[in-house]
Amino acid sequence: MSLEPDAPGAIDSRLARLDWLRSAERRAAISRVASVIAHLIGTPLNVIAGRAALIRANPSAESVNENARRIEEQVDRLAQRIRKLIEYLTSPEPETEPTPVTALVEEALALYEPIARQRGVTLRALPGAPTGAVEGNSAMVILTSLFSLASRHAPKAEIVELSFTMAQDHQLVFELTIPGFTVPSVPIDRLDPPENDDQASAEPLQVLSVCYAIARRSGGKLEVVARDAAPTVIRFECAYTP
């Protein structure tokens, strides 16, 4: 059986489909964790609320002591279960893999230029990438996640640009300029729900929060810079070896 070559645009469509599946997988994982947490804390919190109500209803010393003891038991139980969940969900640190910046950017663009093009967005890197190296695993996850975010949320016919600057202490800054991107209304350093139950900003906030955590874990940082009447800039700073 022979395989027919892909029709023009078929590979781009498949890459876009894989990117959509990547996003769906992330949403499913977050939903599953949220479900586990809800189940984990639901019963203890109900018991605590009930016992607190009993204290208000009967403030005698004997009642207060017994209900306080039950509240303390539930708090201890809840703390233990949460610690076990955190230990279970915390993955080991990946091995470091120094990667030349130029090779990293070329690979990320090769993966996401077709996806952005499929969605009517132009994705490009400006000249000036340094010749040194960064930690490739974490940087690739962050860079491709940001490219995915940009290709999904930049308006059609817009250009998303990646540029490079050097910061102090041998840090390299990737700056991704995304026209038309709406900045989440809450800080990205914690995964608080969006204000006013704004579900449209839920996915960008999730992506940026995860990227922020990865950057911090590898000794870098990530921030979103929004200026009036100017495109949003996402700055990813990481350790750089000349």
Side-chain angles (χ1 to χ4, degrees), residues 20-220:
W20 183 90
L21 291 172
R22 179 188 185 189
S23 175
E25 182 181 38
R26 181 178 61 250
R27 292 195 300 271
I30 291 174
S31 296
R32 177 56 180 159
V33 172
S35 176
V36 170
I37 292 174
H39 175 73
L40 185 74
I41 69 176
T43 299
L45 289 182
N46 287 335
V47 172
I48 290 170
R51 291 290 169 171
L54 290 174
I55 290 175
R56 287 197 303 270
N58 182 13
S60 66
E62 183 179 351
S63 173
V64 169
N65 288 338
E66 173 60 19
N67 288 308
R69 184 185 65 80
R70 291 297 302 275
I71 289 174
E72 186 177 18
E73 287 178 354
Q74 291 299 319
V75 170
D76 289 342
R77 178 186 178 196
L78 182 58
Q80 291 175 13
R81 296 180 71 182
I82 289 176
R83 281 195 295 269
K84 288 182 179 179
L85 179 63
I86 291 172
E87 291 172 0
Y88 174 72
L89 293 177
T90 302
S91 59
E93 294 289 334
E95 294 183 3
T96 59
E97 183 179 327
T99 304
V101 175
T102 51
L104 177 79
V105 173
E106 287 175 1
E107 183 178 1
L109 284 175
L111 289 170
Y112 271 90
E113 272 183 327
I115 295 172
R117 185 168 57 245
Q118 184 77 8
R119 295 169 179 160
V121 175
T122 299
L123 187 63
R124 69 186 182 195
L126 298 180
T131 57
V134 295
E135 200 292 294
N137 290 323
S138 59
M140 178 61 78
V141 171
I142 292 173
L143 201 55
T144 55
S145 296
L146 296 180
F147 281 170
S148 174
L149 187 69
S151 66
R152 284 175 176 276
H153 293 276
K156 287 187 177 181
E158 290 287 1
I159 300 174
V160 175
E161 293 182 333
L162 177 69
S163 59
F164 315 88
T165 59
M166 296 302 301
Q168 296 179 347
D169 301 325
H170 300 292
Q171 295 284 105
L172 171 65
V173 181
F174 297 85
E175 293 191 345
L176 192 66
T177 302
I178 312 177
F181 177 67
T182 302
V183 180
S185 58
V186 295
I188 65 172
D189 59 346
R190 54 185 186 272
L191 202 55
D192 291 339
E195 294 179 358
N196 304 319
D197 197 27
D198 181 10
Q199 293 301 316
S201 64
E203 184 189 17
L205 178 59
Q206 291 168 4
V207 173
L208 292 171
S209 295
V210 170
C211 289
Y212 173 89
I214 295 172
R216 283 290 302 273
R217 190 168 66 176
S218 57

